[in-house]
Amino acid sequence: MKKFIIVGVLFIFVFIGYNTIKNENKIIKKEVLKSDYSNKSLTTHLSDKREDDLLKELSMQLRVATDEELKKSWKNEYGCKLEGTCPYTMMNASSYEESLWMKRRGYLSRTVIDKLKDLSRKDLITLAQNENLNAKKLLAISAISSKNSKLAKSYARSARAYENASDTFSLRLMAQAYIVDNQPMLATVELRMASLLGDVDAAKEYERLTRNSAREFLDNTNLLAFRYLSSRLALPPNEWDSDPRPNGG
């Protein structure tokens, strides 16, 4: 009976979590109406620009460092270790190789974050509405930091929906959003999926959250993670992209 209860609760929570993307768009639109122009803007408001101009500006300003450039700048771009100066807690690369992995898996770099922070909040939300993935991720980070669980889940889920299927950063953002919302059960599924894709940090967090969990819970979390990843990647497990995180080289 205990096993069936665990399975039932997991499926109910995950069903709710994975089938509300349309509602998230409504939340984002409401935030646009409530936002103001108090932050500085790069030029004019992006919401007033034509879409093709907006995309051109983004391609120029949100350029991610090349692999060659990261050889000199990886510590600053992905390896922040000084407490109080990191844009988000997962900016923790310990080697050049690990920074390359983070880049491949969708983690935000400091340069991209700084460029986005130069925008007003209204501009940033407008970019998210225009399906800019980096803007969605930064807004998710901001909402998680401010403990706004509703917006955190909204932006993290939206980012996950548009991120590459093999990326892990939005899975980790989604896990943090669930923790803010006091839903650790759903967070473990997200973390388990990220760990299956090679994210060692996600695996450590998963183990921390499930340290005292029953065997049945772990088995069913694992089952759900495999099923959703198989659907997300449209591939059987033996054909998943094997790209383990170097974790410090």
Side-chain angles (χ1 to χ4, degrees):
M1 177 62 70
K2 183 178 179 181
K3 181 177 180 180
F4 286 114
I5 292 174
I6 292 172
V7 174
V9 172
L10 275 171
F11 272 99
I12 290 172
F13 273 109
V14 175
F15 178 81
I16 294 171
Y18 278 77
N19 289 277
T20 55
I21 293 177
K22 289 184 179 179
N23 292 333
E24 310 304 334
N25 291 331
K26 294 180 181 178
I27 295 173
I28 293 173
K29 288 179 181 178
K30 288 181 180 179
E31 196 188 358
V32 173
L33 296 177
K34 292 191 296 184
S35 63
D36 57 35
Y37 295 80
S38 58
N39 296 335
K40 63 179 179 178
S41 180
L42 289 177
T43 51
T44 59
H45 284 278
L46 295 179
S47 55
D48 298 329
K49 291 177 178 290
R50 286 177 19 196
E51 188 171 352
D52 56 345
D53 292 336
L54 180 144
L55 293 176
K56 287 179 182 178
E57 184 170 329
L58 281 177
S59 64
M60 293 174 60
Q61 296 182 358
L62 300 182
R63 185 182 68 83
V64 178
T66 66
D67 292 358
E68 189 64 28
E69 290 170 337
L70 276 180
K71 286 183 178 180
K72 296 181 179 179
S73 63
W74 70 265
K75 289 183 180 179
N76 186 56
E77 292 290 354
Y78 293 101
C80 178
K81 290 185 177 295
L82 296 177
E83 189 174 341
T85 66
C86 299
Y88 60 93
T89 58
M90 292 175 281
M91 186 177 279
N92 57 357
S94 299
S95 69
Y96 168 62
E97 290 76 17
E98 190 172 15
S99 71
L100 291 178
W101 183 92
M102 293 174 74
K103 175 185 171 183
R104 290 195 300 272
R105 291 304 197 181
Y107 283 74
L108 286 185
S109 68
R110 182 183 291 274
T111 294
V112 170
I113 289 175
D114 288 345
K115 289 291 184 184
L116 288 172
K117 283 186 174 180
D118 279 339
L119 299 172
S120 70
R121 183 162 181 84
K122 184 176 180 68
D123 290 346
L124 193 58
I125 296 170
T126 300
L127 289 184
Q129 282 191 302
N130 280 274
E131 314 306 345
N132 182 271
L133 186 56
N134 290 328
K136 292 175 186 287
K137 291 175 182 177
L138 185 59
L139 287 166
I141 292 169
S142 175
I144 290 168
S145 298
S146 62
K147 306 297 182 184
N148 188 327
S149 62
K150 189 174 183 179
L151 281 180
K153 289 190 297 180
S154 174
Y155 284 119
R157 186 176 290 119
S158 185
R160 185 186 59 187
Y162 287 94
E163 193 172 49
N164 291 332
S166 60
D167 288 353
T168 66
F169 185 52
S170 289
L171 293 172
R172 297 196 64 192
L173 289 177
M174 196 70 233
Q176 287 195 339
Y178 279 135
I179 290 173
V180 169
D181 199 37
N182 197 28
Q183 297 185 67
M185 185 182 295
L186 284 179
T188 60
V189 178
E190 302 289 335
L191 290 169
R192 183 60 180 140
M193 286 194 288
S195 70
L196 288 171
L197 290 172
D199 199 321
V200 176
D201 264 18
K204 291 177 180 177
E205 182 66 8
Y206 171 77
E207 290 168 2
R208 185 187 69 80
L209 286 177
T210 60
R211 187 174 297 130
N212 300 316
S213 298
R215 180 79 263 172
E216 292 89 348
F217 174 81
L218 297 175
D219 289 344
N220 287 299
T221 299
N222 203 48
L223 177 63
L224 285 172
F226 269 97
R227 285 182 175 177
Y228 279 112
L229 269 184
S230 293
S231 175
R232 178 179 169 91
L233 297 169
L235 291 169
N238 63 319
E239 295 182 24
W240 291 352
D241 179 19
S242 180
D243 184 17
R245 182 173 184 153
N247 198 32

